[in-house]
Amino acid sequence: MDQKVRDIGEDALISRLIQGQKDRHDVIAGPGDDCAVIDLGPASGEWQLLKTDCVIESVHFLTGTEPEKIGWKAMCRVISDIAAMGGMPEHALVTIAVGEDCKVSEVEGWYRGMRKAAEKFGDVGIVGGETASLPGSGAVISIAMTGTVEPAKCAMRSGARVGDVIAVTGGLGNSFASGRHLEFTPRLHEARWLMDRDSAMKPTAMMDLSDGLAKDLPRLAEMSAISGYEIDLSAIPVNPDSDLAAAVGEGEDYELLFTIPAAGAENLRLAWEEQFPNCPLSYIGQMTDSGDRTALSGGWEHFGR
C-alpha cells in the first residue's frame, strides 16, 4: 500500500525527498537549517542566505483576519529565519495564489503589511514575484528571500556541544489564540547582537521557534549530533495567558532557541539584560551525552500526525 504523507510526517517526508541529493561545492548548508547558506566566494567576504516560506488561509491565519496583519506575518516569518542564521535580509519575491473572487482590497492590504515589515527590518526590497489562481476561496502567500551573513557570524543548528546551556528569548505559548502570531517582532537585532559576542558568549547553535519547543529542540539536537538534553520545565518562559503545555507544544512563537557555552552564560545574561531590558532571556536546560531527553509533548505537524 502506497504511504500517504500523513503516515510519515513532515520531517520524514523531507528526509526522503533530499536523500541522495548532491550539493554543489558552494553550498555551506542545505536542507535542514533555517536557511540555505551559499558561499559567494573570497571576493565577497559574505555568505548568501536563501529562504522560502508561506502562509496559508485556515492554517496560518483565519478567514476574516485583518489583511495588513496577514502581510506582516508572511514577511516576518521569513525574516525570522534569516535572523536565526545571524544574517540580514535583503530581497524578497512574493507569490500569491488566490481565488478569482478574492477582493483586490484584501491583496492590497497584504502588501501594505508586507511593505511595513520589509521597511522596518533591514529595508528589504520586494523585487518581484508571481500571481496565480487558486481553486476555491482560500489564499496562499509565499515569500522567497535572500540575505547575507558574515561567515564568522553565521549561526547554524549544527554547532551545539555537550555541556552547552539551552536558552530561549521572550515568552512562549498561546500565540495563535492571543493573536501574537500576527504581530510578532522577528528577533533580528537580538540575533545580530548575539552573534557579535566573543566566543565565550556567542551561540554555538541557533534556530527560531516556529513549530514549538517540543518539535524544534529535538531538531537542533539531531543536527548537532547530540544524544540528550535535560530541561528544567519550571524555567520555560510561559506567557501570562498561557500554560506549560501550550508553551512547549503549540508553536507560532518565533522566538530564538540557542545554545551557548556554560562558562559564558552568566556574563551573557547580564549583558543581555542591559541591552534588551524588555525581552527576557531564559536558560532552560543543558545539552548532554546521556542519550536521555526530557519528555516534551506536542509541536506543530503539518500533516496531522
Side-chain angles (χ1 to χ4, degrees):
M1 182 178 177
D2 195 14
Q3 285 183 305
K4 296 180 173 60
V5 292
R6 67 168 177 264
D7 297 327
I8 63 172
E10 179 186 9
D11 289 348
L13 176 64
I14 293 172
S15 180
R16 288 194 185 194
L17 294 177
I18 65 175
Q19 189 172 9
Q21 179 172 303
K22 184 178 180 180
D23 285 333
R24 290 165 46 104
H25 71 279
D26 54 355
V27 176
I28 303 298
D33 227 307
D34 287 84
C35 299
V37 184
I38 310 300
D39 188 349
L40 295 176
S44 168
E46 293 182 320
W47 287 344
Q48 184 177 60
L49 302 176
L50 302 175
K51 178 63 183 182
T52 184
D53 212 336
C54 66
V55 293
I56 304 168
E57 187 172 352
S58 299
V59 176
H60 300 102
F61 64 92
L62 300 177
T63 303
T65 297
E66 184 181 330
E68 283 194 23
K69 291 184 177 181
I70 296 170
W72 175 275
K73 177 175 183 175
M75 184 64 68
C76 285
R77 273 170 60 90
V78 195
I79 293 173
S80 182
D81 283 311
I82 297 284
M85 304 295 293
M88 286 295 293
E90 289 198 327
H91 302 99
L93 297 170
V94 179
T95 295
I96 61 170
V98 296
E100 60 184 14
D101 291 328
C102 179
K103 295 179 181 178
V104 173
S105 60
E106 180 90 358
V107 180
E108 290 175 332
W110 297 341
Y111 267 79
R112 283 195 299 274
M114 284 187 278
R115 282 194 291 267
K116 284 183 179 179
E119 291 168 4
K120 185 175 179 65
F121 301 108
D123 194 23
V124 177
I126 300 176
V127 295
E130 167 74 329
T131 58
S133 62
L134 186 70
S137 59
V140 177
I141 307 170
S142 179
I143 299 180
M145 185 174 289
T146 65
T148 56
V149 65
E150 303 92 323
K153 296 180 181 180
C154 184
M156 300 185 192
R157 299 181 183 183
S158 56
R161 297 169 295 202
V162 171
D164 281 353
V165 172
I166 303 168
V168 173
T169 63
L172 307 181
N174 203 40
S175 180
F176 203 91
S178 68
R180 281 190 294 270
H181 72 109
L182 295 166
E183 301 175 312
F184 70 93
T185 298
R187 299 301 186 190
L188 184 68
H189 303 302
E190 293 87 343
R192 292 285 290 176
W193 181 87
L194 282 168
M195 296 312 296
D196 202 33
R197 301 306 92 199
D198 62 41
S199 59
M201 296 190 290
K202 183 186 293 187
T204 53
M206 188 158 64
M207 65 184 296
D208 83 330
L209 280 169
S210 55
D211 289 340
L213 186 66
K215 196 80 167 182
D216 289 330
L217 179 56
R219 288 169 172 161
L220 187 147
E222 286 158 17
M223 287 290 288
S224 295
I226 292 181
S227 64
Y229 46 75
E230 297 175 354
I231 299 299
D232 178 359
L233 298 179
S234 67
I236 293 174
V238 181
N239 280 319
D241 58 356
S242 185
D243 57 27
L244 181 62
V248 167
E250 282 189 355
E252 293 276 306
D253 293 304
Y254 305 102
E255 295 291 349
L256 295 173
L257 169 68
F258 63 94
T259 57
I260 61 165
E266 186 56 31
N267 286 338
L268 179 65
R269 185 200 300 275
L270 295 173
W272 178 277
E273 289 174 351
E274 182 176 347
Q275 185 72 24
F276 304 108
N278 298 318
C279 179
L281 176 65
S282 301
Y283 294 147
I284 64 170
Q286 193 166 39
M287 308 301 285
T288 74
D289 58 1
S290 67
D292 297 323
R293 296 182 177 182
T294 303
L296 301 172
S297 299
W300 174 254
E301 172 54 63
H302 278 283
F303 301 114
R305 189 177 180 188

